[in-house]
């Protein structure tokens, strides 16, 4: 038996506490490192000047007022879904059904626009769309919540499967509302009357979307942090047994929180249909229901931090599209960049929670 | 055997966690053919030191010599190679595997596993030291004491001749503890080095040859057990004079407060956990509940608290002012509170049930009271004040009331929980294993709090595992055995062994078959 006489090369210890400033410094370093690695990868693979590529990304995302507006529009859409997911995930309810909840919210909105667009006065039409989208989203999330609370079914699988039902439902309505006939799309709804289109505000398109979502941001922050409901959500999420011990009705909290979560995701469908695309298709949600999970978790359910995360993700996405077209690269190149950056940002959490100690180096620092 | 050659020398071991110094230049010798008790309060660094020895932690500074040669213990496996094995407080066994399978789990071997040979070796080891273990038995069918036996055999199977046991008797009955001690003595006589970490001084006196005392991360001294006594050891541990007596006054104006009649509880697996249990609890009195772990104590308290579905029977609360009896069965904790029943419950699982580990002290204070008031928003101010009051009244050691509870030590967590539960001015206070894992100082703080409540006329129900404490603190003791009432006895007139017998056999009579 040979006894190794040396210390391990590197040891990992959990950090007790870390200053907020230091944590953010580590995150910042991770972004810088990510950009550096991306630069090397870009150069190695396509022999392009990374600085130019980054400049192109910047230009693509915020280069012109129009682009800035589109970036803002997509950011608030993602943020809205993230806000919707926050209470569910804070309760440790794995709601991966946002895609479906957005779609049914969008269908409800489109239905109102199509069937009541000519009959109802404008304010009533908006009220109907608003309420219908939230109800549809809530319905879509209450079903798995009810089964979870009542029969302890697995909410991850359940919400996921509800997505497929919603996609099929969307296909059905796309076929039903097909316009023009044979196009296999719904086309722009109410193109002539613009009934049910969210109006421009302060002369700027999408302003209503932005204001609506910012109100939600503040509202959800207050709800989670200061309300009795928010406290119950936190307790149920941390420990169901503690919740029962103090007499919290866990089933009720699960169903209530999930209807709220689904309602906000449904509202995201409303914003997508009434506030930006004015049409509905199976790609209305476009995977954002999943991306928003990253937003919610990275921000640790703090809705203000979610703004930052959403901006970053959408910025990367827009920049990536730009470099794809400008340098004649395909989409995959840009997705690689997004992937590398996300990897570093998620990885930085490790260095925030742990530190590495190298052999013979006392109190070694790593970031 | 009197040959005590030194097996391990630990020299100037220092280990820090962030700003906390868990071990500060600790020196300790462990000798073969000797049982060493490692004594110290919670957070004094005993477990950290032993974790360093068993390869779980790596020390920041210092050196370890095994048989005179310096070694760097890099991993638990490496520690095994050096003959060091540790039996942890929380068992690390796979429930669905058998004893033998657990024992060989993770060991290298040739392609085919010969379970017969493994079983034979397990039996050899067992008979050598006087264990009783069935290699074919699945872990989930085992009692706590049997699981512990498997853990010890696992360590021996790997060839360890230096054994570390972390609070091995915490979960055992006196009879089981005696058996364990007999085994440990056999191993010592076989020349093995044994370290046991414990809080219980009478066990130290009974089993160990030598004592090493730690306080706040430092080694404060060691002596031969024969040359010391409980008082001296306590004073060394705590660092000042401590009184080891629990006060017990005669109950004053005892009134019946809770009447439990023919209570039966069946758990989700259809096992009868409580069978026709009847007793009463009186104001101004401490009613102890004794029993082997898993004998229905948990179900009993949870049934009273409205957390456990009841099959049949009744639980009546006699209102102190109106003397009216109110049935508690079928009510949840919220409804019980709304009925005006002042019931407090300190559950066994502090961080999994009584408190939320990730929330700070102030937020944990709100758990019981957050619903008060009509506003949709929570009142943050009064819980914060209450937390500050609990911290100062009960001397909770914490950086502040905004610290997550899970970062506090066990004793301080318990003070926070008990502090919250008694802040609601209860008429019935139920505590489950209130001092489990707590050091002497914290334990006595808790006993004092319980006695204060008793003086105030609260009916206290105290589920305990340390019979010495039950006998000293309680007025009456209800003994449970397999979910049935084995007897209700006067704590002033019974001894430990009689209670121990009642715990293992209904009524405590001699076995006749």
């Amino acid at each position: 038996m040979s006894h190794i006489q040396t210390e391990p090369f590197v040891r990992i210890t959990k950090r007790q506490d870390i200053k907020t400033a230091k944590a953010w410094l580590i995150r910042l370093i991770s972004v810088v490192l990510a950009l550096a690695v991306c630069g090397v990868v870009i150069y190695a693979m396509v022999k392009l000047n990374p600085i130019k590529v980054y400049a192109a990304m910047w230009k693509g995302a915020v280069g012109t007022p129009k682009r800035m507006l589109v970036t803002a529009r997509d950011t608030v859409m993602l943020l809205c879904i993230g806000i919707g997911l926050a209470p569910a995930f804070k309760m440790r309810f794995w709601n991966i059904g946002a895609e479906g909840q957005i779609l049914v919210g969008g269908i409800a909105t489109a239905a109102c626009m199509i069937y009541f667009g000519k009959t109802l006065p404008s304010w009533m039409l908006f009220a109907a769309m608003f309420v219908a989208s939230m109800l549809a989203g809530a319905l879509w999330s209450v079903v798995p919540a009810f089964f979870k609370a009542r029969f302890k079914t697995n909410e991850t699988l359940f919400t996921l499967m509800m997505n497929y039902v919603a996609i099929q439902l969307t296909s059905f309505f796309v076929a039903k509302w097909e316009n023009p006939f044979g196009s296999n799309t719904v086309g722009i709804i109410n193109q002539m009357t613009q009934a049910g289109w969210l109006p421009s505000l302060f002369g700027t398109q999408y302003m209503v979307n932005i204001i609506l979502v910012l109100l939600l941001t503040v509202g959800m922050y207050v709800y989670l942090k200061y309300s009795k409901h928010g406290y119950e959500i936190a307790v149920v999420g941390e420990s169901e047994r503690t919740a029962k011990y103090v007499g919290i009705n866990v089933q009720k909290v699960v169903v209530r929180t999930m209807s709220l979560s689904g309602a906000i995701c449904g509202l995201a469908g409303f914003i997508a249909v009434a506030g930006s695309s004015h049409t509905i298709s199976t790609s209305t949600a476009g995977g954002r229901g999943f991306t928003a999970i990253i937003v919610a978790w990275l921000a640790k359910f703090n809705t203000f931090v979610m703004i930052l995360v959403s901006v970053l993700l959408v910025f990367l996405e827009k920049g990536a599209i730009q470099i794809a077209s400008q340098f004649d690269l395909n989409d995959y190149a840009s997705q690689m960049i997004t992937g590398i950056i996300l990897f570093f940002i998620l990885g930085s959490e490790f260095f925030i929670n742990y530190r590495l100690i190298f052999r013979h180096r006392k109190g070694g620092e790593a970031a | 055997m009197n040959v005590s050659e030194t097996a391990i020398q630990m020299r100037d071991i220092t280990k820090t966690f962030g700003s906390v110094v868990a071990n500060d230049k600790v020196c300790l010798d462990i000798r073969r053919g000797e049982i060493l008790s490692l004594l110290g309060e919670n957070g004094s660094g005993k477990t950290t030191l032993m974790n360093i020895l068993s390869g779980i932690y790596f020390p920041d500074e210092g050196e370890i010599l095994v048989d005179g040669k310096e070694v760097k213990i890099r991993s638990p496996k490496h520690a095994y190679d050096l003959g060091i094995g540790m039996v942890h407080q929380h068992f690390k066994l796979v429930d669905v595997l058998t004893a033998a399978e657990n024992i060989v789990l993770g060991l290298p071997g040739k392609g085919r596993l010969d379970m017969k040979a493994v079983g034979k070796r397990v039996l050899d080891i067992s008979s050598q030291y006087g264990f009783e273990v069935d290699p074919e038995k699945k872990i989930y069918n085992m009692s706590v004491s049997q699981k512990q036996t498997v853990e010890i055999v696992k360590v021996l199977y790997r060839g360890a001749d230096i054994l570390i046991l972390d609070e091995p008797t915490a979960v055992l009955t006196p009879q089981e503890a005696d058996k364990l001690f007999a085994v440990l003595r056999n191993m010592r006589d076989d020349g093995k080095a044994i370290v046991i970490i414990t809080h219980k001084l009478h066990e130290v006196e009974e089993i160990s040859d030598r004592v090493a005392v730690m306080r706040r991360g430092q080694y404060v001294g060691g002596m031969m057990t024969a040359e010391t006594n409980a008082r001296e050891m306590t004073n060394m541990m705590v660092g000042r004079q401590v009184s080891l007596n629990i006060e017990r006054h005669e109950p004053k104006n005892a009134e019946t407060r809770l009447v439990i009649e023919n209570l039966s509880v069946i758990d989700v697996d259809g096992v009868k956990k409580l069978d026709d249990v009847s007793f009463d609890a009186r104001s101004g009195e401490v009613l102890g509940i004794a029993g082997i772990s898993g004998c229905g104590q948990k179900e009993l308290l949870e049934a009273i608290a409205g957390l456990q579905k009841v099959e049949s029977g009744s639980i009546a609360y006699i209102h102190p002012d109106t003397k009216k009896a109110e049935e508690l069965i079928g009510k949840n904790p919220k409804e019980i509170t709304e009925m005006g029943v002042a019931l407090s419950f300190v559950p066994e699982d502090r961080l999994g049930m009584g408190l939320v580990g990730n929330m700070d002290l102030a937020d944990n204070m709100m758990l019981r009271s957050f619903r008060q008031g009509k506003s949709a928003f929570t009142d943050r101010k009064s819980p914060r004040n209450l937390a500050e009051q609990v911290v100062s009244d009960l001397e909770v050691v914490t950086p502040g009331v905004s610290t997550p509870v899970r970062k506090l030590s066990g004793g301080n967590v318990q003070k926070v929980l008990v502090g919250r539960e008694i802040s609601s001015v209860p008429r019935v206070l139920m505590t489950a294993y209130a001092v489990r894992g707590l050091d002497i100082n914290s334990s006595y703080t808790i006993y004092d709090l319980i006695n204060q409540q008793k003086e105030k006329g609260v009916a206290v129900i105290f589920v305990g595992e340390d019979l010495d404490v039950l006998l000293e603190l309680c007025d009456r003791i209800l003994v449970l055995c397999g979910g049935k009432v084995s007897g209700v006895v006067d704590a002033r007139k019974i001894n430990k062994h009689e209670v121990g017998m009642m715990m293992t056999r209904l009524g405590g009579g001699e076995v006749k078959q």
Side-chain angles (χ1 to χ4, degrees), chain A residues 18 29 63 76 110 112 145 166 184 211 233 247 254 256 298 327-328 342:
Chain A
I18 185 161
I29 292 171
V76 297
C112 290
N184 201 25
I211 289 171
I233 291 170
V254 167
R256 185 183 69 205
L298 261 186
F327 298 107
D328 209 17
L342 273 183

Side-chain angles (χ1 to χ4, degrees), chain A residues 29-269:
Chain A
I29 292 171
S30 78
V31 172
V32 173
L33 277 179
L35 291 178
V37 170
C38 286
V40 172
V41 171
I42 291 166
Y43 185 76
M45 294 181 70
V46 289
K47 299 279 179 287
L48 287 171
N49 178 353
I51 306 288
K52 274 189 185 157
V53 173
Y54 292 141
M57 287 179 80
W58 181 265
K59 208 171 97 195
V62 292
T64 67
K66 168 83 184 154
R67 279 176 181 165
M68 217 186 266
L69 207 56
V70 169
T71 301
R73 178 196 74 189
D74 290 0
T75 303
V76 297
M77 175 72 186
L78 188 61
L79 178 60
C80 181
I81 306 163
I83 292 167
L85 291 177
F89 280 106
K90 180 144 197 193
M91 196 175 63
R92 298 294 184 269
F93 186 105
W94 300 85
N95 179 14
I96 56 170
E99 287 284 293
Q101 291 147 20
I102 298 161
L103 280 177
V104 293
I107 294 172
T109 309
C112 290
M113 288 164 79
I114 290 168
Y115 295 118
F116 307 131
K118 293 192 182 68
T119 49
L120 285 182
S122 178
W123 69 271
M124 269 177 78
L125 178 62
F126 280 122
M129 288 155 61
F130 191 81
V131 173
S133 68
M134 300 228 308
L135 281 179
L139 175 76
W140 225 247
S141 61
V142 154
V143 176
F146 172 80
F147 278 88
K148 160 98 174 174
R150 193 75 207 179
F151 306 108
K152 299 234 171 283
T153 53
N154 180 315
E155 76 272 17
T156 317
L157 289 174
F158 212 131
T159 50
L160 184 67
M161 290 190 292
M162 290 294 279
N163 287 343
Y164 296 111
V165 180
I167 289 170
Q168 295 307 318
L169 205 62
T170 313
S171 307
F172 170 79
F173 280 107
V174 167
K176 187 174 162 65
W177 295 331
E178 204 177 32
N179 180 28
F181 187 77
S183 67
N184 201 25
T185 63
V186 178
I188 303 297
I189 303 169
N190 301 346
Q191 189 150 27
M192 303 307 289
T193 60
Q194 299 206 346
W197 290 27
L198 288 181
S200 295
L201 209 61
F202 313 125
T204 316
Q205 228 188 333
Y206 311 134
M207 209 53 189
V208 180
N209 308 11
I210 294 170
I211 289 171
L212 203 59
V213 175
L214 287 181
L215 284 177
L216 276 177
T217 310
V218 178
M220 183 55 77
Y221 183 83
V222 172
Y223 179 76
L224 287 179
K225 200 157 173 167
Y226 297 108
S227 78
K228 288 180 180 171
H229 285 186
Y231 184 73
E232 286 183 332
I233 291 170
V235 174
V236 171
E238 289 289 342
S239 160
E240 219 170 279
R241 290 182 61 214
T242 307
K244 285 187 182 139
Y245 161 80
V246 294
I248 293 174
N249 184 337
V250 175
Q251 301 189 352
K252 189 174 127 193
V253 173
V254 167
V255 171
R256 185 183 69 205
T257 306
M258 272 310 283
S259 18
L260 177 69
S261 174
I264 296 176
C265 291
L267 197 64

Side-chain angles (χ1 to χ4, degrees), chain B residues 288-444:
Chain B
I289 296 183
I292 301 168
S293 64
C295 268
Q297 301 97 320
K298 176 169 164 270
E299 287 76 11
L300 178 60
L301 295 195
E302 292 191 355
I304 298 173
L307 295 165
Q308 168 73 49
K309 205 173 142 274
V310 168
E311 205 59 29
S312 63
S314 109
I315 300 170
Y317 172 80
I318 316 290
H319 207 279
D321 303 323
T322 60
K323 313 288 176 213
K324 251 177 58 191
E326 315 226 37
E327 181 59 51
L328 298 187
I329 287 179
K331 310 268 190 320
N332 68 35
K334 194 177 149 209
E335 289 163 342
I336 290 176
T337 317
E338 284 165 357
M339 278 161 62
V341 176
L343 185 88
S344 283
F345 178 25
V346 177
E348 172 184 355
D349 187 358
R350 290 160 209 162
L351 287 179
M353 189 168 189
L355 299 167
V356 179
N358 282 330
M359 288 186 177
D360 66 17
L361 270 68
D363 278 1
N364 269 295
M365 290 295 155
M366 285 168 49
L367 271 171
R368 286 279 191 197
S369 60
F370 76 96
R371 287 190 204 86
Q372 282 166 9
K374 291 222 155 44
S375 158
F377 296 100
T378 49
D379 168 16
R380 297 271 156 177
K381 215 166 157 200
S382 21
R384 182 160 277 273
N385 293 340
L386 176 62
E388 272 160 9
Q389 199 191 327
V390 168
V391 167
S392 73
D393 287 357
L394 305 189
E395 295 170 0
V396 179
V397 180
T398 169
V401 295
S402 307
T403 306
V405 171
R406 76 182 145 80
K407 293 203 171 169
L408 305 187
S409 72
N412 289 310
V413 167
Q414 186 68 326
K415 283 180 190 171
V416 171
L417 178 53
V418 172
R420 186 191 71 208
E421 288 300 295
I422 60 181
S423 72
S424 60
V425 198
R427 305 309 293 250
V428 177
L429 172 66
M430 302 191 288
T431 66
Y433 309 108
V435 298
R436 179 181 283 174
L438 265 56
D439 58 48
I440 294 199
N441 235 349
S442 309
S443 299
Y444 278 77

Side-chain angles (χ1 to χ4, degrees), chain B residues 487-498:
Chain B
V488 180
V489 294
D490 185 337
R492 290 176 176 80
K493 292 182 185 147
I494 196 160
N495 70 38
K496 187 167 131 184
H497 276 270
E498 287 169 306

